[in-house]
Amino acid sequence: MPGHVWKHVLDVEPNRHLQQLGEISESDAVLTRTYFSDAHMKAAHKILRWMEQAGMTAYIDAIGNVHGVVEGSNPELGELLVGSHYDTVVDGGKFDGAMGLLLAISAVKAVHLEALKRANKLSMLQWAIDNVSPDEDIDLPIRAVKGLLSGSIRVVGFCDEEGIRFKSTFLGSRAIAGTLLKHNQLAARGADGRTLEEVLATSGGLTGVVVPNPTEAVQALALKPGSVRHYVEFHIEQGPQLEAAGLALGVVSGIAGQTWLAVSVEGVQNHGGTVPMPLRKDPMAAAAEAITAVEGTCLGSSDALGELSVEGEALVCTVGSIKVHPNQVNIIPKWVNFTVDVRCRREEFRQEVIALAEARIQAVCARRGVNCSVTRTHNAPPVHSDGRLVSKLQEAVRNAQPMIQQLAAAAEDSSSSSSSSSNACSASGGSDSSSCTAGNAGSISSFRSTQSEVPVLLSGAGHDAMAIADITKIGMVFVRCAGGVSHNPAEYVDPRDVAAATAAFATFMEMDVLDWEQHSDDSYKPVS
């Protein structure tokens, strides 16, 4: 097949789709695409169309997930489940979630083309494929690709991972994992006062079809137990390690466990000009010292209360929110509330960290004569990637290198590195956009997408894979992003890395659903 066809499917289309999806927003000023908004609905239907063009049967389910399904010739193999989310944070970036989903769609199209070539069935589509224009998408009719793959594939665009609308995360992935009701998420309430259940029952979400019994509808979304062979998700790294190593792709060993603490410090509210310093019961000063104590705990500092060896634990602690009452310049506060987010590799160690941090907070408050309470508001155990999937994904990245080299050479021939970034910026709305600034700033003269080593990284951020891990084995691949920046309009992935990731994803799918006999997972038990 001509090289320009592979470039079109693995490079041109996913990069263009990223820019097009990034233009769908609730605001003209920033990218915001929250659950059940008009922009969210528009994006869902755009994704559905791209799935159909890749040769998939596509539909939107009752809760807003977008499914693209390919039925394999051997249903006993179970489904390869892939995807990511298509909602965003407020004032977010174009790549978080969306990139992994769009890569999956393009990878399915590439695998279908490879299957057509192997089956000598390209002739009826050859002219259209060979002569597709750069601004068009290759459209594969479902009838032309039906039954060509051994294994089945289900691509899912998860409707809500960020949890902005209902303050409750993983709504889409928990729905198909069958755990949404266990987490009581139909009762999650939005800023308008309505619950998710009420919205589904009155407006029908994205489908516009009222759901008379949301509980039954959600139960029906759960995938059949044992039907999924494994789940794979590609995602921007949201960190700086790959960029620092000069590598485009890395495989994820697992997702860090996470605990949130709500700390309340209560003192005595009084006049800021009349109470001598030694006589104050100041919760602000106590909170400041307590926050520093938490930081010290996570840096491995020692005191009379203890010491922890943090090396190799990937421990991070964040105080991300502080509230003060009455929050006036001339008043000693009555109370200060702050949050702590603790994440690390091992569950047992995280509990040790939390115990020591709580002890140090209480010690600060006792010495200062203020009252403290520490409440755990969220706890998620770590999730580990399947060892065989980690190896298989590393193999896929290595096997994809010849194609990645071809794509890189084609990019060199067509334009310089700067014009490649400029083209992406032009599609996103102009060279003055923050994402273009980040992309140009993040470019390095020794940029390369090809790589001989495939590192294994721990994810400190949560992903839909955490929810899907309840029903099957999971694996993830990280893609380099400029400066490690995410949840920010400056979020940026170089178009060459998008192409490299798509090629690696397509290679994995080819191994998994075309050449499964050579790359089979003996631990999988077929559906009975």
Side-chain angles (χ1 to χ4, degrees), residues 53 74 129 323 406 419 452 511:
Q53 290 179 319
N74 188 349
I129 292 172
K323 295 182 179 179
Q406 290 181 39
S419 67
S452 58
M511 294 163 58

Coordinates of all heavy atoms in Angstrom, one line a residue, residues 53 74 129 323 406 419 452 511:
Q53 N -16.5 5.8 10.1 CA -15.5 5.9 9.0 C -14.4 4.9 9.1 O -13.7 4.5 8.1 CB -15.0 7.3 8.8 CG -16.0 8.3 8.3 CD -15.5 9.7 8.2 OE1 -14.7 10.2 9.1 NE2 -15.8 10.4 7.1
N74 N -13.9 -14.7 15.6 CA -13.8 -15.7 16.7 C -14.3 -15.0 18.0 O -13.5 -14.5 18.8 CB -12.3 -16.2 16.8 CG -12.2 -17.3 17.8 OD1 -13.2 -17.6 18.6 ND2 -11.1 -18.0 17.8
I129 N -9.0 5.1 -1.8 CA -8.0 5.2 -0.7 C -6.7 5.9 -1.3 O -6.2 6.8 -0.6 CB -7.6 3.8 -0.2 CG1 -8.8 3.2 0.6 CG2 -6.4 3.8 0.7 CD1 -8.7 1.7 1.0
K323 N -9.4 27.3 52.6 CA -10.5 28.2 52.9 C -10.4 28.8 54.3 O -10.0 28.1 55.2 CB -11.8 27.5 52.7 CG -12.1 27.0 51.3 CD -13.5 26.3 51.2 CE -13.8 25.9 49.8 NZ -15.1 25.2 49.7
Q406 N 9.4 5.8 9.1 CA 8.8 6.2 7.8 C 8.0 7.5 7.9 O 8.0 8.4 7.1 CB 7.9 5.1 7.2 CG 8.7 3.9 6.7 CD 7.8 2.9 6.1 OE1 6.8 3.2 5.4 NE2 8.1 1.6 6.3
S419 N 7.5 24.2 10.9 CA 6.3 24.3 10.1 C 5.2 23.3 10.5 O 4.0 23.5 10.4 CB 6.6 24.2 8.6 OG 7.0 22.9 8.3
S452 N 14.7 3.3 20.8 CA 15.2 1.9 21.0 C 14.8 1.4 22.3 O 14.7 0.1 22.5 CB 16.7 1.9 20.8 OG 17.4 2.7 21.7
M511 N -1.2 -7.1 16.5 CA -0.7 -8.3 17.2 C -1.9 -8.9 18.0 O -1.9 -10.2 18.1 CB 0.3 -7.8 18.2 CG 1.6 -7.3 17.6 SD 2.6 -6.4 18.8 CE 2.9 -7.6 20.1

